[in-house]
Amino acid sequence: MSVTQSWEARAEEFSLYGFTDLPSVHDRGTVVVTHGEGPYIFDTNGRKYLDANSGLWNMVAGFDHAGLTQAAKAQFDKFPGYHSFFGRMSDQTVLLSEKLIEVSPFDTGRVFYTNSGSEANDTMVKMLWFLHAAEGKPQKRKILTRWNSYHGVTAVSASMTGKPYNSVFGLPLPGFIHVGSPHYWRFGQEGETEEQFTARLAAELEATIIKEGADTIAGFFAEPVIGAGGVVPPPKGYFQAISKVLAKYDVPLISDEVICGFGRTGSTWGAQTYDFMPDAIISSKALTAGYFPMGAVIIGGTLAQRLQDAIEAIEEFPHGFTASGHPVGCAIALKAIDVVMNEGLADNVNRLSGRMEAGLAEIATSANIGELRGVGYMWALEAVKDRATKTPFDGHLSVSERIANTCTDMGLICRPLGQSVVLCPPFIMTEPQMDEMFEKLDRALKKVFAEVA
Ligand SMILES: *Cc1c(COP(=O)(O)O)cnc(C)c1O
């Protein structure tokens, strides 16, 4: 490596990239990011980008929030690291667990910490396996999720994720079962109403449970709004219908709120936006506003009590990460929750989500946009070759990648997902910044659609 080499060349020489299209990187170079201001990031060439994806859904307070960096610095000075094993735990960890149960939909409950959302899902699966075995049902191990859902990348959470790309790893593992995607616009049948679509999915879920044997199903995991599957809100009555089925067969419902949690959908939890009561919640991403890697499993009272009883019986739950409940992460999370809930960030999402929808709806009048979907501050525009027949563009045209690349060239970061482009800005995004997003996105879409039409 030499200092005469560009940052782009140095990045490509020594880094192994994940979730990155390498031909694009070879062609366009890496955006090497140095710092941020509010919702903007800056690269080594001094270029400025409006990051309409909040980093990776997580940097909801922007990239230089003084309150959050102060909270981090203060905790680093006080006590820069500790674990949560052997009957020891930091004071910040105690405070955060109290706070998480207070802001959760649960009256009581318990919290377990991880370093990521993937590990939190992985941990929840182990908890369910452990619990059912302890309750005399060791065969109750299968995990149900939906096609096109995203739950992470560890061997277990990748098995839960309903994406075809995991076949390169020989995943999913056996016992991970995927039911239908709740995407009405794409999978609703000819003449089928949204309510009928919901009823069909609930019937499919019940048939799957009966076919597999209810006594073999450990739990059902769902994102309130599918995020990395392209921002898919549930069809009408979906969570009410499936909750009924799951309760009938004693299958716990786990709400994967790694994206939805802490205000993204306009309520603290997606479960509140869609009015259902899960047995446990998986949290990460906005939990620390992206200022520290942390995930949390938040278990509701009844399930938490069963789990606690099972652990008391064998005296110790043999699970945990070295950095579980890290004091700096907990101090940052406490501050982040306060910032989001009490310093106007959640209010901003509520105040401006209608404006965001209206602005995107105007852009979506394009003949090559098939669907605009979303809620709160998470939206997707799906590109189509033919709007009437919902025919997608040819895959090799890479339309959504082209749109995202064109946006990047214009100083706007958005994300291609399938044939969709995803916008999930930081909660601090103001009206003028939103207008900048609309203007650049509209220009990029018109340019790309003119090229591929
Ligand atoms: C991002 C995400 C995860 C995985 O979190 P990581 O911190 O990347 O491991 C899990 N579930 C959902 C819904 C996510 O969006």
Side-chain angles (χ1 to χ4, degrees):
M1 155 179 65
S2 105
V3 288
T4 57
Q5 261 185 305
S6 68
W7 282 100
E8 289 84 350
R10 289 161 70 182
E12 280 206 56
E13 189 165 1
F14 292 108
S15 300
L16 191 73
Y17 291 66
F19 284 123
T20 297
D21 178 51
L22 287 183
S24 291
V25 168
H26 299 329
D27 186 35
R28 298 171 47 83
T30 303
V31 178
V32 181
V33 182
T34 52
H35 65 289
E37 276 174 29
Y40 295 94
I41 56 165
F42 295 82
D43 71 12
T44 43
N45 297 317
R47 294 203 55 197
K48 179 180 178 183
Y49 307 85
L50 177 59
D51 192 334
N53 273 7
S54 314
L56 214 41
W57 313 85
N58 55 347
M59 306 292 291
V60 296
F63 297 96
D64 62 347
H65 193 282
L68 287 167
T69 53
Q70 282 308 320
K73 284 175 203 161
Q75 185 58 36
F76 269 123
D77 284 341
K78 185 176 161 230
F79 193 35
Y82 208 66
H83 62 81
S84 306
F85 287 20
F86 318 133
R88 296 191 285 278
M89 176 181 296
S90 86
D91 55 355
Q92 301 304 307
T93 317
V94 175
L95 294 174
L96 181 59
S97 297
E98 284 173 2
K99 175 56 75 176
L100 285 175
I101 296 303
E102 179 195 319
V103 302
S104 79
F106 310 126
D107 296 333
T108 64
R110 292 177 187 271
V111 184
F112 195 97
Y113 296 99
T114 67
N115 308 303
S116 68
S118 301
E119 291 169 345
N121 276 314
D122 214 301
T123 293
M124 186 74 239
V125 169
K126 284 179 76 179
M127 286 173 171
L128 292 169
W129 286 346
F130 165 78
L131 174 67
H132 296 316
E135 291 182 346
K137 293 182 175 168
Q139 76 289 4
K140 201 168 164 68
R141 288 179 65 84
K142 292 176 193 161
I143 300 295
L144 291 178
T145 57
R146 287 95 48 86
W147 282 115
N148 204 33
S149 63
Y150 185 85
H151 299 288
V153 295
T154 58
V156 158
S157 59
S159 294
M160 296 161 65
T161 292
K163 300 273 200 177
Y165 56 67
N166 280 316
S167 66
V168 302
F169 304 108
L171 296 174
L173 294 167
F176 289 81
I177 296 159
H178 300 97
V179 296
S181 157
H183 190 180
Y184 175 60
W185 176 79
R186 180 49 75 193
F187 299 114
Q189 290 166 355
E190 190 71 41
E192 188 176 46
T193 65
E194 201 170 325
E195 288 82 354
Q196 288 166 338
F197 177 64
T198 293
R200 180 158 63 82
L201 291 179
E204 184 215 12
L205 174 65
E206 180 158 20
T208 303
I209 293 172
I210 291 168
K211 178 174 141 265
E212 297 289 337
D215 265 10
T216 73
I217 312 286
F220 179 90
F221 288 68
E223 302 160 83
V225 180
I226 289 181
V231 185
V232 181
K236 277 191 203 108
Y238 176 80
F239 279 101
Q240 289 67 34
I242 63 154
S243 294
K244 224 187 262 173
V245 174
L246 295 170
K248 182 171 166 191
Y249 296 99
D250 192 26
V251 176
L253 167 59
I254 315 300
S255 191
D256 183 346
E257 305 243 9
V258 170
I259 286 175
C260 293
F262 299 105
R264 178 62 70 185
T265 65
S267 318
T268 305
W269 305 105
Q272 291 163 333
T273 298
Y274 296 104
D275 196 23
F276 67 98
M277 182 54 81
D279 294 290
I281 284 176
I282 306 300
S283 175
S284 188
K285 293 202 167 101
L287 172 62
T288 57
Y291 282 52
F292 201 86
M294 175 174 265
V297 179
I298 306 168
I299 312 155
T302 311
L303 191 63
Q305 189 56 51
R306 283 165 62 194
L307 192 57
Q308 182 69 16
D309 290 346
I311 295 170
E312 300 273 6
I314 63 158
E315 298 185 352
E316 177 174 327
F317 184 53
H319 181 79
F321 301 92
T322 301
S324 286
H326 193 289
V328 177
C330 290
I332 294 172
L334 282 161
K335 183 67 187 178
I337 293 167
D338 188 46
V339 165
V340 168
M341 297 182 75
N342 304 321
E343 287 185 16
L345 270 66
D347 291 345
N348 204 49
V349 174
N350 278 311
R351 193 169 62 83
L352 294 180
S353 61
R355 192 177 192 277
M356 179 141 171
E357 179 173 9
L360 292 174
E362 217 168 287
I363 294 170
T365 55
S366 158
N368 291 113
I369 296 296
E371 186 186 35
L372 166 66
R373 54 181 182 264
V375 65
Y377 259 26
M378 58 190 299
W379 293 87
L381 292 160
E382 181 146 348
V384 285
K385 190 169 163 198
D386 185 313
R387 195 175 181 155
T389 59
K390 304 183 185 176
T391 309
F393 283 103
D394 277 350
H396 73 264
L397 288 173
S398 303
V399 166
S400 60
E401 286 80 3
R402 277 198 214 202
I403 296 165
N405 288 340
T406 306
C407 285
T408 306
D409 293 341
M410 293 173 178
L412 173 69
I413 305 272
C414 57
R415 177 170 171 197
L417 258 173
Q419 300 260 331
S420 302
V421 177
V422 168
L423 290 312
C424 49
F427 300 170
I428 55 164
M429 180 176 261
T430 61
E431 282 111 318
Q433 291 160 352
M434 199 177 264
D435 289 341
E436 179 187 343
M437 176 180 79
F438 293 150
E439 189 274 320
K440 289 183 169 162
L441 180 66
D442 193 37
R443 212 151 30 92
L445 287 169
K446 288 193 169 118
K447 183 164 183 287
V448 172
F449 291 149
E451 284 165 13
V452 297

